[in-house]
Amino acid sequence: MTLAKNHLPVKLLDAQKRKSPGLEFAGATHSTEFPEHVTPLILAAQCRNYEAVGLLVARGHAIDRPHPPHCACDDCKSLAHDDPLNASSARLSVYRAISSPAYLVHMESDPILAAFRLSAELNANATAYRHFSAAYLALKAEVSAFPVDLISCCRTSEEVEIILKQTSGSRGRRHFVLPRLLMAVDYKQKEFVAHPNTQQVRLFS
């Protein structure tokens, strides 16, 4: 459901836009409650507010994905000169937002594929940022549960087949009957592979 134009959050965003076109996209400034990197979309995604995320995405909001660990680009080199703890905390905060189901369903055309890839990405971050390893692994578990929840919602074998026969990101395995299942194996998505809905379709394919 889309928020009505006279809804208070919409009015506030419109007021910011009139004041300065980029203001509604900015992070929290001069806030005692939120760090500066927390934008409206990051906060909405972390709160798993589907309606708010949908509204913000429709208005053109997006979240800049963190660069890979140990990236040597100019931006990352600049961040390296900042407070390391602050930079690492902000990075984890962004991952908490992009790992949200509310964000995945609104921003990704293929949320299951995105969740598989994000799971691997979070695992790499857990290795690279040992002081936040437990937090990244917890996020990984949540992200891995998302595709399982989706396939649990399937009511018929046909619906499960539609998911498992998706070929996007299949790395040249399009000729397999269930390419998405092979991808789940590649990404070590054990619960997705072992789910009864998945296994039933696999046995009869």
Side-chain angles (χ1 to χ4, degrees), residues 70 83-92 96 125-137:
H70 312 303
D83 180 357
L85 180 58
N86 181 61
S88 296
S89 297
R91 181 184 184 89
L92 176 59
R96 285 198 173 105
N125 277 273
T127 301
Y129 300 94
R130 294 288 185 181
H131 48 300
F132 286 128
S133 178
Y136 277 113
L137 292 177

Side-chain angles (χ1 to χ4, degrees), residues 84-118:
L85 180 58
N86 181 61
S88 296
S89 297
R91 181 184 184 89
L92 176 59
S93 176
V94 171
Y95 270 113
R96 285 198 173 105
I98 63 177
S99 298
S100 165
Y103 185 79
L104 289 171
V105 299
H106 281 293
M107 290 298 293
E108 302 291 346
S109 59
D110 189 340
I112 291 179
L113 174 59
F116 287 173
R117 289 174 170 169
L118 184 55

